Amino acid sequence: MVAEVPVIILLEKLRKLQIADERVRPPELRAAVVTAVNELRHIFSFLTKPNQTNITENLKGLLDSIYSADNTTESVLTTVQGRRKGVTETKLLEEFRRSFGKVSVEFYKFGPHDLPNENVDPITVVSEQAGFQYDQELYVLTGREEEEKELVRRLIKDDEKCLRAIALVSEKELGKTALARTVYNKPVIRQHFQCRAWVHIPKDLECKDLLIIILRTIPDCVLQGIELWDESKLTAKLVESLMKHRFLVVLDNVFQVDIWHMLARSFADARNGSRVILTTRLSDVAMDADPWSSPMKLAPLTPQKSWEFFLKKAGREDNSDLNEFMDKILRVCNGFPAAILLLGGLLSTIQLSEWAEVINHVAGEDQSTPSNIVDWSYHKLPCVLKPCFLYLTIFPKAYEIPIRRLLHLWLAEGFVPISSEANDVNVAKKYFDELVRRNMIEIQRWKPDGTPKTCLMPCYLYDVYLPKAEDIGFLHVSHGKSDTSEGSIMFNIQRLARRFGNDSSVESHIEHLRSYVSFNDQKVNRSSREIARSPKKLITETGSSPLKVLDLEGVYKPMTPSKLRELQNLRFEVYQYNHSAKFNLEGKEPATSLYE
């Protein structure tokens, strides 16, 4: 369960309130803050118990009261920091006590609690890893070196000039996407193909959206007014453009034969050695991809390959000290690369003397539950990293995230404690490095100096944690006008990720909105004006709201009112269309660019 995340965020805000200038805080408020912190620590201990797995009515009420207390704390912080005028100390104290009183009432609905006597402080520090450096060769390992060689051979085979489609197929999560991406990024592949395109296929994206994504990757392709083109014109343009290049297109997650049929007619065969790679769970899609090209069927890794892969990801040499763990690790991971990655990352953070406890826990009773590894990898995260990790689900699945942008979003949200003694971005970078080390973030692209440039949340983690993030009200993803019923939104929306236009059902739940993020994957049959109206309406309605993040990357010529500049809590503002950006953090200098 991830229900403790709102508590972690609220505790950090109370910490800021505790260290604020005592001259601007009444003594009664200081005492009330101490009481609130102690109560939240008990709630944190309760919510992190293993039996907290479902959103019950009592838990919904508790979370709702915590979000309300969070809103009040934000208001108090704004007043204390001088950004909110006309509020008396008495009114401030009344608001604070009332909101945290409701938290206590909701908490004690659960009945007597078996809690530890000591105060548990969830705001733990991320350990400093001496000499932590990125090794590109280590981070692109898939455990499938032989399959990599075979795929490269089939892609650049000199005597096969006809267009070929190569399907990577497995029913389970056995590393299809990781294998395709590793090969896709190899220098020999980049040099061989003049044009490359990677397209992840979500179930809510239409064929012509996919055609546009591919067209935009083609060099020197004139696409003026492309949003207004129909599917037949897009297909004709793609055929014409691809005829001029030797291309490689990766279609990740092809979930229907019809999807492949619709796209296949767009791939021109100029007999120049062009290739298409498909990843799919379905054998019928793989067999239908190309009758002259046999699918590559992925199987679980062999015990020997699994152990070699685990040792590399755990940062260990093979020696006698590890023999007692080998059989159980192999049994638990069962040849699944994702399970090996997570368990290796988790064990790399602890001493060898602690391995037995973790391995016994993830083994469970049936000794073969990779889901236990997913759950325990999250559970063992330092608490300050949990909001940062969960925030990755605000991005679309398989979305390539610029790391600089991600770090500033974490800072703007307040997930990274702000300190006068340390550079805030460096602290955020340390958090990022720790998630990478645990294999809970994948590096996608690298800078020339060997440092990471872009990243994403692994798809197998995204599928698990996006529903959890929405269930606890941490964020809400809006896909369009009719995808959400009014009754399905249980909490006031804290963070809204909008895709494909407007969903009117969310408008009555944005009073306390903290983040508004739009992505550049809107459906092409919606006008930019329609999509842009929503941010304008949202800002007008929220007025002097707690809105901190306004990211309109996917909005064409966004219409923002002059009132936007009056939002005192706004810390992150970006419009990728015209490459303007604003970043403000507690009076510090704004970033000059978020897209270096």
Side-chain angles (χ1 to χ4, degrees):
M1 193 57 188
V2 297
E4 74 276 13
V5 168
V7 178
I8 295 169
I9 295 171
L10 180 51
L11 276 168
E12 172 57 24
K13 292 176 182 178
L14 291 174
R15 185 191 70 84
K16 291 180 182 178
L17 197 54
Q18 284 181 310
I19 64 176
D21 191 340
E22 294 189 2
R23 292 173 300 176
V24 297
R25 286 185 295 125
E28 294 86 353
L29 179 58
R30 293 201 295 273
V33 170
V34 171
T35 301
V37 168
N38 291 335
E39 179 84 343
L40 286 175
R41 286 175 176 174
H42 288 310
I43 294 172
F44 173 83
S45 297
F46 175 74
L47 291 178
T48 51
K49 285 184 175 182
N51 61 341
Q52 295 300 328
T53 56
N54 298 313
I55 298 291
T56 62
E57 280 301 312
N58 280 351
L59 183 54
K60 177 186 177 298
L62 177 59
L63 289 173
D64 201 35
S65 69
I66 289 171
Y67 285 127
S68 179
D70 187 290
N71 294 329
T72 300
T73 304
E74 279 280 352
S75 181
V76 172
L77 270 171
T78 302
T79 303
V80 168
Q81 294 166 351
R83 300 198 305 268
R84 182 186 179 208
K85 307 297 183 182
V87 180
T88 65
E89 291 182 354
T90 301
K91 183 177 180 181
L92 204 65
L93 185 60
E94 288 177 356
E95 289 178 0
F96 191 86
R97 284 176 171 168
R98 187 185 305 114
S99 64
F100 280 91
K102 184 180 179 183
V103 172
S104 297
V105 169
E106 293 296 332
F107 183 41
Y108 286 100
K109 286 182 181 179
F110 288 90
H113 309 295
D114 182 18
L115 298 173
N117 293 326
E118 71 275 8
N119 268 336
V120 178
D121 186 3
I123 308 302
T124 52
V125 177
V126 177
S127 61
E128 193 75 52
Q129 296 299 317
F132 180 81
Q133 293 182 337
Y134 285 95
D135 182 340
Q136 290 191 42
E137 292 186 5
L138 176 63
Y139 284 103
V140 299
L141 285 176
T142 63
R144 297 192 177 277
E145 287 71 26
E146 294 303 316
E147 289 92 335
E148 286 179 28
K149 293 177 183 177
E150 171 64 14
L151 183 54
V152 170
R153 184 191 68 79
R154 291 176 65 170
L155 289 174
I156 62 177
K157 192 175 180 181
D158 289 337
D159 59 352
E160 182 58 87
K161 298 299 183 183
C162 292
L163 174 67
R164 286 286 171 259
I166 305 167
L168 307 181
V169 58
S170 65
E171 183 178 344
K172 298 181 179 179
E173 296 283 357
L174 293 177
K176 301 179 291 290
T177 298
L179 172 60
R181 195 178 291 277
T182 298
V183 170
Y184 178 83
N185 287 324
K186 282 183 175 292
V188 64
I189 298 299
R190 292 201 302 263
Q191 293 168 8
H192 185 76
F193 293 99
Q194 302 158 341
C195 172
R196 295 180 308 135
W198 181 286
V199 185
H200 176 80
I201 304 179
K203 292 183 179 180
D204 50 7
L205 207 61
E206 296 177 357
C207 182
K208 55 184 176 182
D209 298 289
L210 300 174
L211 295 174
I212 286 181
I213 292 172
I214 300 171
L215 275 166
R216 283 176 171 160
T217 67
I218 300 175
D220 305 319
C221 188
V222 179
L223 303 174
Q224 186 174 1
I226 190 173
E227 290 83 3
L228 304 177
W229 296 1
D230 60 21
E231 189 173 319
S232 61
K233 185 173 181 180
L234 289 167
T235 300
K237 182 64 175 179
L238 186 54
V239 170
E240 174 193 340
S241 302
L242 290 179
M243 287 291 290
K244 304 173 184 177
H245 303 279
R246 180 165 59 233
F247 63 84
L248 169 63
V249 175
V250 178
L251 303 175
D252 184 33
N253 188 40
V254 180
F255 55 89
Q256 286 181 351
V257 173
D258 290 347
I259 294 289
W260 166 242
H261 288 168
M262 284 189 294
L263 292 172
R265 60 176 179 262
S266 306
F267 300 135
D269 186 4
R271 297 184 177 273
N272 59 2
S274 293
R275 299 288 185 266
V276 177
I277 297 175
L278 298 82
T279 72
T280 182
R281 291 173 175 264
L282 305 176
S283 57
D284 57 340
V285 172
M287 295 303 296
D288 193 74
D290 189 338
W292 293 278
S293 178
S294 59
M296 292 182 62
K297 298 180 180 179
L298 300 191
L301 298 180
T302 65
Q304 180 180 350
K305 284 287 187 182
S306 295
W307 187 242
E308 291 173 356
F309 190 37
F310 169 80
L311 291 174
K312 290 174 181 177
K313 291 301 180 179
R316 294 278 180 171
E317 298 289 337
D318 196 2
N319 57 57
S320 57
D321 293 338
L322 303 180
N323 289 343
E324 62 176 299
F325 305 113
M326 182 172 67
D327 287 344
K328 187 168 285 189
I329 288 173
L330 293 177
R331 199 159 52 240
V332 168
C333 295
N334 200 25
F336 284 69
I340 296 170
L341 277 169
L342 282 179
L343 186 58
L346 174 57
L347 295 180
S348 73
T349 67
I350 61 177
Q351 298 297 319
L352 192 61
S353 59
E354 303 173 84
W355 279 30
E357 178 186 357
V358 172
I359 294 169
N360 288 335
H361 181 89
V362 300
E365 295 181 0
D366 59 8
Q367 302 266 337
S368 59
T369 51
S371 63
N372 283 357
I373 301 176
V374 172
D375 293 341
W376 199 243
S377 294
Y378 169 82
H379 180 72
K380 297 299 287 184
L381 277 176
C383 289
V384 291
L385 294 185
K386 289 183 177 181
C388 298
F389 170 73
L390 211 58
Y391 193 78
L392 293 165
T393 61
I394 205 169
F395 298 92
K397 185 177 180 179
Y399 186 89
E400 194 169 318
I401 310 165
I403 292 169
R404 179 177 171 84
R405 175 188 179 196
L406 177 63
L407 301 185
H408 283 306
L409 283 167
W410 285 350
L411 286 165
E413 285 276 2
F415 298 157
V416 180
I418 297 167
S419 169
S420 59
E421 300 176 358
N423 181 292
D424 301 326
V425 176
N426 287 344
V427 176
K429 179 65 165 57
K430 185 168 71 171
Y431 287 12
F432 176 84
D433 291 343
E434 182 68 12
L435 288 169
V436 172
R437 191 164 70 96
R438 292 168 179 262
N439 296 312
M440 300 181 81
I441 288 181
E442 290 181 5
I443 304 300
Q444 292 306 300
R445 284 194 287 163
W446 301 81
K447 296 178 182 178
D449 64 359
T451 58
K453 182 177 182 180
T454 64
C455 67
L456 57 75
M457 176 183 256
C459 291
Y460 57 87
L461 292 179
Y462 189 95
D463 291 339
V464 172
Y465 284 99
L466 174 60
K468 290 178 182 288
E470 292 197 287
D471 284 348
I472 65 165
F474 180 77
L475 56 79
H476 177 76
V477 176
S478 171
H479 294 276
K481 286 185 176 179
S482 59
D483 70 333
T484 306
S485 63
E486 185 72 23
S488 68
I489 302 177
M490 295 193 296
F491 305 98
N492 279 319
I493 297 172
Q494 306 289 310
R495 298 165 188 87
L496 176 61
R498 179 157 279 169
R499 307 169 198 166
F500 311 151
N502 296 319
D503 175 7
S504 58
S505 64
V506 307
E507 303 301 338
S508 60
H509 298 272
I510 61 174
E511 179 184 357
H512 300 292
L513 193 70
R514 302 291 167 75
S515 296
Y516 179 93
V517 187
S518 175
F519 292 97
N520 191 23
D521 53 2
Q522 70 258 30
K523 291 185 180 294
V524 298
N525 61 341
R526 297 188 186 274
S527 71
S528 299
R529 182 170 295 273
E530 176 189 349
I531 296 170
R533 268 201 301 267
S534 181
K536 183 176 181 180
K537 182 179 181 183
L538 179 148
I539 296 164
T540 302
E541 289 185 349
T542 55
S544 56
S545 76
L547 189 69
K548 294 181 177 180
V549 173
L550 179 63
D551 189 334
L552 305 181
E553 178 187 348
V555 179
Y556 178 78
K557 292 185 178 180
M559 299 179 292
T560 56
S562 57
K563 191 174 184 179
L564 173 66
R565 301 300 172 183
E566 299 174 14
L567 298 183
Q568 297 169 331
N569 291 309
L570 193 62
R571 298 180 182 179
F572 184 95
E573 175 189 348
V574 60
Y575 317 120
Q576 190 184 19
Y577 172 73
N578 58 7
H579 299 283
S580 68
K582 170 191 173 183
F583 180 70
N584 179 44
L585 191 60
E586 306 293 353
K588 299 191 177 184
E589 290 298 318
T592 55
S593 173
L594 299 179
Y595 295 96
E596 289 184 350

